[in-house]
């Protein structure tokens, strides 16, 4: 048994087995560590790529905010539904909300170079959905009213996939309307929107004693006769895209200049601009505190598609009958504001203020749309948007309540001496809008082209509200002593009459976002809020 004793005494085999076991265990540990380290490295790289993509997406969204701020600062409309790569509600040219993002055209943003290709590293794409005044839903997100939903996708290198990774972020930013401390230009200007034509006056104040103490914007030429534009307390600004023709009259004075002004063509004694020179410097009776910068704007024209949309949508109107049980009068017979089913100015001429009372409410309720005349109290109640496929005449004085627009396919006539159409009894200008608490607003819009669309036919007439015409049409005063209180946007203005008064609105509280005529410098942006990234 000696050999067994020697075997028990010899432990070299056990040592070898132990050594082999240790090597195996160490190998397993090293393999695990290498695998863990490689996995961690891959995860870090993946995380870095995704974070870079998210960062690029958020950079694009912040760039959109900068674009909206720039739009406001240059007199544009930050609430235009087609501003950020989507169409408007009915097509590319429609700026009404909400946006139509069925087929968006995202903007390409190069983050590290001046040129780049979509989908490559260090780039981003962006488009925006604007919810409109009533709010909307997009990408399963409920978007509050007057709010942009920004959709941005960032791209970054990702070694783990051997290429580029992408991340999409959603962010919201609200377009705030004016508050009681600011005034949007559109609501206290006279806007004259016909194109610049040599030798023609887009705005003609050749009459005597016309007090144009209101900010004025003229795309074309401004002919100023024996009338004045003087500072009377509220800031005044004059923007003229053509010439300012002086045949008497003045803009400000040496002691009290108007707040600011700019005349692109210069001042001249001739309507053709002959002998024109810079208005400032004493050669002309032109005095402004600050030299302004002219903001070039396209004429705010209602296109055929815009008109057809209004014809179909306004309620009450040709496509929306008065509610059952209402008492419409003859021009509203059968509860229709038309005598056929097409836009063709076929309803004839009818009076807004006939000798009998009438009521026409929307079938969806008076809060949606309402037009009511009480011939006993001489009160017109207006809410929402009303469409009339014909001409409109106002031949009795009235006080109106509510806020709404009456859009007509034809012309608008104010008929009768001392006729008053006002939100305040007695037409007190100081007790309307501003801090007065009375924010009623009647807007009358004529869609007629190439004609005198709005006429004040008689003496001493007063209108308290807002007026609009196509750029090819005009407003005229035929006789004397007419007073307009509120904003107007018209193609041309013939004011060869005498003793007229134009008064701008004071600070108002019911300024809508996206006013119909830029510049709308009163809107502001809320803080950007990322809701997914």
């Amino acid at each position: 048994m000696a050999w067994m004793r020697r075997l028990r005494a010899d432990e070299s085999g056990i040592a070898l087995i132990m050594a082999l076991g240790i090597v195996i265990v160490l190998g397993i540990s090293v393999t695990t560590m290498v695998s863990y380290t490689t996995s961690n490295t891959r995860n870090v790289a993946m995380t870095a790529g995704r974070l870079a993509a998210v960062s690029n997406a958020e950079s694009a969204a912040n760039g959109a905010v900068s674009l909206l701020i720039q739009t406001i600062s240059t007199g544009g409309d930050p609430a235009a539904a087609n501003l950020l790569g989507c169409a408007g509600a009915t097509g590319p040219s429609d700026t009404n909300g909400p946006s139509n993002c069925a087929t968006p055209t995202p903007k390409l943003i190069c983050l590290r170079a001046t040129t780049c290709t979509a989908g490559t590293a260090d780039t981003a794409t962006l488009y925006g959905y604007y919810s409109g005044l009533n709010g909307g839903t997009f990408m399963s997100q409920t978007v509050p009213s007057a709010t942009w939903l920004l959709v941005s996708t960032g791209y970054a290198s990702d070694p783990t996939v051997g290429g580029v990774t992408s991340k999409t972020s959603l962010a919201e930013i609200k377009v705030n309307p004016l508050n009681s401390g600011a005034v949007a230009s559109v609501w206290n200007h006279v806007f004259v929107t016909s194109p610049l034509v040599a030798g023609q006056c887009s705005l003609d104040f050749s009459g005597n004693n016309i007090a144009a103490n209101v900010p004025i914007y003229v795309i074309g030429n401004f002919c100023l006769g024996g009338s004045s534009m003087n500072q009377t307390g509220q800031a005044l600004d004059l923007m003229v895209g053509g010439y300012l023709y002086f045949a008497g009259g003045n803009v400000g004075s040496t002691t009290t200049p108007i707040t600011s002004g700019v005349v692109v063509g210069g001042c001249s004694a001739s309507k053709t601009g002959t002998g024109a020179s810079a208005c400032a410097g004493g050669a002309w009776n032109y005095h402004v505190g600050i030299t302004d910068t002219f903001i070039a704007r396209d004429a705010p024209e209602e296109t055929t598609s815009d008109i057809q949309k209004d014809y179909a949508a306004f309620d009450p109107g040709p496509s929306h009958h008065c509610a059952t049980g209402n008492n419409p009068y003859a021009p509203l017979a059968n509860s229709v504001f038309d005598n056929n089913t097409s836009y063709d100015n076929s309803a004839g001429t009818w009076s807004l203020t006939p000798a009998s009372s009438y009521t026409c409410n929307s079938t969806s309720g008076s809060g949606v749309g309402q037009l009511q005349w009480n011939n006993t109290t001489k009160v017109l109640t207006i809410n929402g948007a009303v469409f009339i496929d014909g001409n409109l005449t106002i031949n009795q004085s009235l006080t109106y309540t509510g806020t709404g627009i009456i859009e007509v396919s034809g012309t608008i006539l104010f008929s009768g001496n001392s006729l008053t159409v006002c939100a305040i009894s007695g037409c007190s200008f100081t007790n309307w809008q501003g801090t007065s608490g009375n924010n009623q607003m009647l807007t009358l819009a004529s869609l007629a082209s190439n004609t005198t669309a709005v006429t004040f036919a008689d003496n001493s007439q007063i209108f308290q509200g807002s007026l609009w015409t196509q750029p090819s049409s005009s407003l005229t005063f035929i006789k004397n002593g007419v007073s307009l209180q509120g904003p107007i946007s018209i193609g041309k203005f013939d004011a060869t009459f005498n003793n007229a008064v134009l008064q701008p609105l004071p600070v108002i509280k019911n300024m809508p976002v996206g006013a119909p005529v830029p510049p709308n410098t009163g809107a502001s942006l809320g803080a950007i809020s990322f809701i997914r990234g």
Side-chain angles (χ1 to χ4, degrees), residues 26 108 145 151 179 188 203 216 224 275 287 338 350 354 363 386 424 440 458 506:
L26 286 175
L108 172 62
S145 63
V151 184
N179 55 39
N188 71 339
L203 179 60
I216 293 173
L224 187 64
H287 311 278
D338 196 359
W350 63 280
T363 55
V386 178
I424 298 293
Q440 326 273 6
D458 296 291

Side-chain angles (χ1 to χ4, degrees), residues 509-533:
K509 295 180 179 180
N510 62 339
M511 173 65 194
V513 173
V517 185
N520 178 12
T521 55
S524 63
L525 300 179
I528 187 170
S529 172
F530 288 93
I531 57 179
R532 193 174 83 195

Side-chain angles (χ1 to χ4, degrees), residues 33-282:
M33 291 178 65
V34 169
S35 176
Y36 177 78
T37 303
T38 302
S39 177
N40 252 8
T41 302
R42 186 183 299 109
N43 287 339
V44 168
M46 184 180 297
T47 300
R50 289 176 177 174
L51 287 175
V54 170
S55 176
N56 291 343
E58 292 182 354
S59 294
N62 285 312
V65 176
S66 298
L67 175 63
L68 292 173
I69 292 173
Q70 182 183 22
T71 299
I72 294 172
S73 67
T74 57
D77 184 359
N82 59 358
L83 187 62
L84 295 177
C86 290
T90 60
S93 63
D94 178 17
T95 59
N96 297 323
S99 301
N100 180 354
C101 294
T103 56
T105 305
K107 297 178 181 294
L108 172 62
I109 300 171
C110 304
L111 298 171
R112 302 289 185 273
T114 55
T115 60
C116 60
T117 302
T120 59
D122 297 326
T123 67
T125 58
L126 168 93
Y127 67 92
Y129 166 86
Y130 185 69
S131 64
L133 293 179
N134 297 318
T137 301
F138 185 66
M139 294 184 69
S140 300
Q141 297 287 331
T142 299
V143 187
S145 63
T147 298
W148 282 101
L149 178 67
L150 306 175
V151 184
S152 56
T153 302
Y155 299 88
S157 296
D158 186 351
T160 64
V161 298
V164 174
T165 191
S166 65
K167 290 291 289 183
T168 297
S169 291
L170 300 182
E172 288 183 351
I173 183 165
K174 187 173 181 63
V175 180
N176 296 313
L178 291 178
N179 55 39
S180 58
V183 176
S185 312
V186 66
W187 285 101
N188 71 339
H189 267 74
V190 169
F191 276 86
V192 183
T193 58
S194 59
L196 172 61
V197 178
Q200 292 187 13
C201 302
S202 294
L203 179 60
D204 190 348
F205 281 175
S206 297
N208 293 314
N209 196 26
I210 299 173
N213 303 324
V214 55
I216 293 173
Y217 177 98
V218 187
I219 290 178
N221 300 315
F222 181 13
C223 297
L224 187 64
S227 301
S228 61
M229 181 179 180
N230 289 324
Q231 194 85 37
T232 57
Q234 186 163 319
L236 296 187
D237 179 60
L238 173 66
M239 285 194 179
V240 180
Y243 297 104
L244 175 57
Y245 168 58
F246 268 109
N250 64 279
V251 174
S253 66
T254 54
T255 57
T256 310
I258 66 170
T259 306
S260 55
V262 58
V263 181
V264 175
C267 288
S268 172
S270 167
K271 294 180 182 180
T272 61
T274 304
S277 62
C279 294

Side-chain angles (χ1 to χ4, degrees), residues 454-502:
V454 180
T455 300
F456 287 81
D458 296 291
N459 293 308
S460 303
Q461 297 180 320
I462 303 175
F463 177 70
Q464 198 175 69
S466 60
L467 296 168
W468 186 94
T469 76
Q470 294 279 27
S472 63
S473 291
S474 63
L475 177 151
T476 188
F477 297 169
I478 293 179
K479 297 185 179 178
N480 300 320
V482 177
S483 174
L484 292 187
Q485 301 178 8
I488 63 174
S489 172
I490 54 176
K492 295 181 181 179
F493 197 159
D494 176 15
T496 55
F497 42 80
N498 299 318
N499 303 314
V501 177
L502 304 178

